[in-house]
């Protein structure tokens, strides 16, 4: 079964259980939020977040100053959004909406379930996708892998803090659930979007944890050879300007 969902393309990956703030200022996405707010009371306010494979979040300024269309900014020669976007994304439930006086919105959304994009409707002001839910699978041996990933993640955090000449404010408690841990580590690690997308797309928790264990060990080893890393606030979730 598929579900029609508004699509919000981002240069970031949203994971189930993780929170993402969004500053919505483009007209097409203001329309998206306004349409969600117009839904009858009690109906879920949600949309699909997909990472951009080719293009950017914010559309270039259109000639004549008109509003951007649903495909503007997606950098494919054919204009096919299925080529410009990754096909596995995450449903975002709107936790809070703060309208601004100039018509913009401040959103706080929470990732819920993964989906696979099957088709895209480009006829409206923003993209609308036919989205097929992806059932979560634990895989074999996820529980045993989780302990190793937790230890590798803590070593990675400590080495990262040392490279930034900062300190960790106490040891954070990590979730016991292997699936939740796998998504938390994927969100918190400093990785490029294609790598984060690969973690989101893993067919089960075991495969995701296995990939994370390899990535964390590799990144920690690299940090051991570096005197410093770029000044990035590593404690914040990705923030989209749109």
């Amino acid at each position: 079964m598929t579900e029609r969902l508004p699509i919000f393309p981002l240069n970031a990956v949203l994971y189930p259980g993780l929170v993402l703030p969004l500053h919505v200022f483009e007209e097409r996405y203001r329309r998206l939020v306004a349409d969600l707010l117009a839904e009858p009371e009690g109906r879920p306010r949600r949309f699909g977040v997909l990472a951009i494979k080719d293009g950017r979040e914010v559309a270039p300024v259109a000639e004549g100053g008109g509003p951007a269309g649903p495909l503007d900014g997606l950098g494919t020669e054919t204009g096919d959004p299925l080529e410009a976007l990754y096909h596995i994304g995450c449903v975002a439930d709107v936790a809070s909406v703060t309208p601004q006086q100039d018509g913009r919105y401040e959103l706080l959304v929470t990732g819920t379930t993964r989906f696979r994009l099957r088709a895209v409707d480009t006829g409206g002001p923003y993209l609308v996708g036919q989205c097929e839910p992806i059932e979560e699978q634990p895989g074999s041996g996820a529980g045993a892998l989780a302990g190793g990933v937790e230890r590798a993640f803590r070593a990675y955090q400590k080495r990262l803090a040392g490279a930034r000449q900062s300190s960790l404010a106490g040891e954070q408690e990590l979730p016991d659930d292997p699936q939740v841990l796998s998504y938390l580590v994927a969100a918190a690690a400093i990785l490029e979007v294609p790598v984060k997308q690969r973690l989101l797309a893993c067919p089960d928790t075991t495969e995701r944890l296995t990939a994370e264990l390899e990535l964390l060990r590799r990144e920690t080893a690299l940090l051991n050879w570096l005197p410093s890393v770029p000044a990035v606030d590593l404690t914040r979730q990705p923030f989209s300007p749109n």
Side-chain angles (χ1 to χ4, degrees):
M1 295 180 61
T2 62
E3 177 185 6
R4 280 177 61 87
L5 284 175
I7 298 297
F8 205 133
L10 293 175
N11 287 325
V13 177
L14 177 64
Y15 295 100
L18 276 296
V19 175
L20 178 69
L22 291 169
H23 174 59
V24 181
F25 66 90
E26 282 194 275
E27 178 61 28
R28 52 186 172 174
Y29 299 124
R30 286 158 60 172
R31 287 281 302 277
L32 187 159
V33 175
D35 288 348
L36 290 178
L37 293 177
E39 291 282 353
E41 191 68 29
R43 290 194 61 179
R45 293 171 178 168
R46 58 186 187 173
F47 53 87
V49 171
L50 285 168
I52 298 170
K53 184 190 302 183
D54 182 11
R56 53 185 180 175
E57 292 177 1
V58 181
V61 177
E63 293 184 13
L71 295 174
D72 289 345
L74 298 180
T76 60
E77 294 181 0
T78 63
D80 183 355
L82 290 176
E83 294 184 9
L85 300 171
Y86 288 101
H87 291 184
I88 293 180
C90 185
V91 176
D93 274 6
V94 178
S96 67
V97 182
T98 306
Q100 306 297 305
Q101 291 185 348
D102 60 1
R104 304 182 183 201
Y105 295 96
E106 301 291 342
L107 297 186
L108 194 65
V109 304
T110 302
T112 57
T113 57
R114 296 183 301 158
F115 66 87
R116 181 175 285 103
L117 184 69
R118 291 302 190 187
V120 183
D121 181 355
T122 62
Y126 49 82
L127 298 174
V128 177
Q130 288 288 351
C131 303
E132 179 185 36
I134 298 175
E135 184 178 352
E136 294 290 344
Q137 301 290 341
S140 177
L145 273 169
V149 170
E150 179 176 347
R151 290 189 295 273
F153 182 61
R154 292 199 186 282
Y156 169 76
Q157 284 184 305
K158 290 176 181 177
R159 187 64 194 92
L160 203 54
R164 297 178 64 237
Q165 297 182 344
S166 60
S167 59
L168 295 173
E171 192 171 86
Q172 295 178 323
E173 185 174 346
L174 296 175
D176 294 329
D177 186 307
Q179 177 186 307
V180 178
L181 175 68
S182 74
Y183 285 130
L184 176 62
V185 169
I190 310 304
L191 302 167
E192 295 180 347
V193 168
V195 180
K196 285 182 171 284
Q197 178 65 34
R198 180 163 62 87
L199 294 175
L200 177 70
C202 284
D204 56 50
T205 301
T206 295
E207 186 168 318
R208 187 175 305 107
L209 289 170
T210 299
E212 288 170 347
L213 188 58
E214 179 182 346
L215 285 166
L216 289 169
R217 287 172 174 171
R218 185 194 70 189
E219 294 298 309
T220 302
L222 287 173
L223 287 168
N224 287 332
W225 289 93
L226 296 176
S228 62
V229 295
V232 178
D233 185 350
L234 305 175
T235 63
R236 296 175 56 188
Q237 293 297 318
F239 180 88
S240 169
N242 187 33

